[in-house]
Amino acid sequence: MGTVRYSGAAHFRQRVLLATLTGRSVRIDGIRADEEEVGLRDYEASFLRLLEKVVNGCEIVINETGTALRYRPGIIVGGEGISHDCGTSRAIGYFVQPLLALAPFAKRGLSLTLRGVTNGPDDPSVDVLRTVTLPLLRHFGINGAALHVAKRGAPPLGGGEVKLELQPLRQLEPISLLDAGKVRRVRGVAYGTKVSPQMANRLVDGARKVLNHYLPDVWVYTDVHKGATSGASPGFGVALVAETTSGALLSSEMCGYAGALPEDLGLTCADGLLEQVRGGGVVDAANQPLVLTLMCLGPEDVSRVRLGDELSDATVGALRLLKEFLGVTFRIETDTDGSLVLACRGCGFKNLSQRVT
């Protein structure tokens, strides 16, 4: 199999992730060549450095301007006692998501400490990863995954610290996640670092103002940090999770920004959660690409999942790349309620370093 060639910086993580899993070299040219600030961003370079720590023998060549990258993957080994500074440009969630698809196929278990921003505006927060993404992995047979938050870190200076633990397995299991169910309760966390505890209470009030119109069982607990566990910057935000009668988990979150009122953030986050519920899916927008990737890597059996009424740009890009790298195509049907049912036959991907039991 020859080198896969791409142009531009779109879907960077997904390209590198699939290249690593399939063992195919990838070359990306013209990375932001026509922008004022050309080349790879610091968080993309940091992601490549993290890969070097969990993938043995990979070769990364970047040209002087950072506009061209050649990546030749090695063996996914995992490992314990690894630590990585994620910087402050993107949240820790940017780095964790690809690892959740990579680590199950490693030689050894992964125990990794990540430092940086725990709750950022552009990536899933550690709260959503812990309460929604990790439970999703269990459907694929990935058990025992854990994410421990030692310190919270808000933008712009971060200072947060989390520990990710994940054990490898031989092969994933096929899934059938079609029953969205009815929302039976909402849980969430309103957090604050280096701010008044009242900020978290105001976030809860804003969220309750919307959600209590729809159901009584709403519980948003407050998590206020001061001192050593509060990171390097003041910040606040809220993450909400709707749990349905079928066990589906849908999330929405908002991160505080300059001039934002906590009540407005809570209200907007609750509206976002209701929008996810209205779509009728079993998987929320933040986790769509990961679930579809794991479906393709599953055994040669049919997996099905119900998503909301529209696919995110990241999901559409992931579908194209999955076809290119793994040769897997999805059948997409629109149900009567407008939700989309996606089905595919896995490529039978196996972790050859794990013994058959």
Side-chain angles (χ1 to χ4, degrees):
M1 290 186 286
T3 302
V4 188
R5 292 175 175 269
Y6 291 106
S7 182
H11 313 297
F12 178 79
R13 286 180 307 166
Q14 191 78 6
R15 289 170 178 173
V16 175
L17 166 68
L18 290 173
T20 307
L21 285 165
T22 57
R24 296 176 72 178
S25 297
V26 67
R27 184 184 170 109
I28 306 173
D29 294 300
I31 300 171
R32 301 188 182 88
D34 51 359
E35 292 185 26
E36 198 172 305
E37 198 180 323
V38 300
L40 285 171
R41 296 285 182 263
D42 57 351
Y43 54 86
E44 290 165 338
S46 180
F47 173 61
L48 292 172
R49 285 197 298 276
L50 173 60
L51 269 188
E52 280 186 307
K53 294 175 182 178
V54 295
V55 180
N56 197 7
C58 65
E59 185 186 324
I60 300 166
V61 181
I62 303 169
N63 71 350
E64 285 181 17
T65 56
T67 54
L69 163 75
R70 194 172 79 244
Y71 173 72
R72 187 172 60 79
I75 298 164
I76 309 163
V77 290
E80 294 188 359
I82 304 169
S83 65
H84 183 72
D85 188 341
C86 300
T88 55
S89 303
R90 294 293 286 262
I92 286 171
Y94 175 88
F95 301 86
V96 169
Q97 274 188 315
L99 289 177
L100 296 179
L102 205 61
F105 302 102
K107 219 170 184 178
R108 303 190 299 274
L110 180 67
S111 178
L112 172 70
T113 302
L114 296 160
R115 296 180 181 87
V117 175
T118 56
N119 302 76
D122 303 318
D123 304 290
S125 68
V126 290
D127 302 295
V128 166
L129 289 169
R130 194 163 39 87
T131 56
V132 179
T133 310
L134 295 190
L136 266 175
L137 297 181
R138 291 186 205 126
H139 293 291
F140 294 95
I142 304 169
N143 296 307
L147 190 71
H148 305 285
V149 183
K151 299 177 188 174
R152 279 195 183 271
L157 299 177
E161 184 180 307
V162 303
K163 187 175 184 182
L164 174 70
E165 293 177 339
L166 220 153
Q167 292 302 315
L169 75 175
R170 175 138 178 104
Q171 191 170 24
L172 300 174
E173 295 173 7
I175 63 162
S176 182
L177 298 177
L178 297 176
D179 183 9
K182 304 285 184 194
V183 176
R184 65 189 181 96
R185 64 181 191 178
V186 172
R187 295 290 180 263
V189 56
Y191 64 87
T193 58
K194 296 188 186 300
V195 294
S196 162
Q198 201 56 38
M199 287 292 207
N201 295 330
R202 288 167 65 186
L203 284 162
V204 176
D205 291 342
R208 277 185 168 281
K209 203 174 284 185
V210 174
L211 295 172
N212 281 139
H213 286 299
Y214 297 96
L215 74 166
D217 194 353
V218 178
W219 178 254
V220 185
Y221 77 92
T222 55
D223 184 26
V224 180
H225 288 256
K226 288 185 175 178
T229 63
S230 63
S233 290
F236 56 89
V238 61
L240 300 172
V241 178
E243 190 178 318
T244 74
T245 49
S246 65
L249 299 166
L250 303 169
S251 67
S252 172
E253 59 182 324
M254 288 295 292
C255 185
Y257 53 90
L261 290 173
E263 293 87 353
D264 292 345
L265 275 187
L267 206 126
T268 308
C269 188
D271 283 342
L273 186 68
L274 294 176
E275 188 63 28
Q276 292 287 339
V277 172
R278 184 198 61 77
V282 180
V283 179
D284 56 28
N287 292 297
Q288 286 176 5
L290 175 64
V291 168
L292 296 179
T293 302
L294 293 175
M295 283 170 68
C296 291
L297 293 167
E300 293 182 29
D301 198 351
V302 176
S303 286
R304 297 181 183 86
V305 68
R306 183 185 300 278
L307 302 183
D309 51 6
E310 58 182 64
L311 302 177
S312 65
D313 291 343
T315 305
V316 173
L319 287 170
R320 292 188 179 127
L321 289 168
L322 288 166
K323 181 181 179 183
E324 194 159 345
F325 277 95
L326 299 170
V328 177
T329 52
F330 281 81
R331 193 180 75 218
I332 304 175
E333 294 175 348
T334 307
D335 213 337
T336 48
D337 62 353
S339 63
L340 301 170
V341 176
L342 280 75
C344 78
R345 188 162 172 262
C347 69
F349 197 84
K350 288 185 176 71
N351 185 353
L352 299 176
S353 61
Q354 297 300 307
R355 288 195 194 128
V356 182
T357 50

